[in-house]
Amino acid sequence: IAARVRSSQRRRNEGDPLLSRGEFASRLTLESINIEPDGKIDVYFKDGDLFSGHVIELRLDTPERVRSIGIAG
């Protein structure tokens, strides 16, 4: 997860130093988990002000299969 979002960060802020995976993960705070009747899972993390206070949205088809990762709100 961190690698996918970090690649987005790299494109947006070429001059800024990159965070290690551990540094990135330590900034995130779990906000909520939503499990749909069909088994799809949406997980939301507060961004620790990495992306101007937006939420990182992780969408899974199953617990092992990531559907998408993005920035919301």
Side-chain angles (χ1 to χ4, degrees), residues 25-49:
S26 72
R27 301 276 295 270
L28 302 182
T29 305
L30 180 64
E31 184 172 89
S32 65
I33 299 173
N34 183 38
I35 302 173
E36 298 292 333
D38 63 2
K40 292 182 179 171
I41 304 165
D42 296 329
V43 184
Y44 299 91
F45 297 92
K46 293 181 182 178
D47 76 343
D49 219 20

Side-chain angles (χ1 to χ4, degrees), residues 41-65:
I41 304 165
D42 296 329
V43 184
Y44 299 91
F45 297 92
K46 293 181 182 178
D47 76 343
D49 219 20
L50 292 169
F51 302 101
S52 302
H54 289 81
V55 174
I56 297 172
E57 178 182 59
L58 171 63
R59 303 183 117 197
L60 302 130
D61 287 328
T62 67
E64 299 84 22
R65 185 173 173 189

Side-chain angles (χ1 to χ4, degrees), residues 2-14:
R4 286 188 185 182
V5 178
R6 272 182 31 166
S7 70
S8 172
Q9 179 189 22
R10 186 177 301 118
R11 287 191 302 270
R12 291 180 59 215
N13 304 310
E14 285 293 336

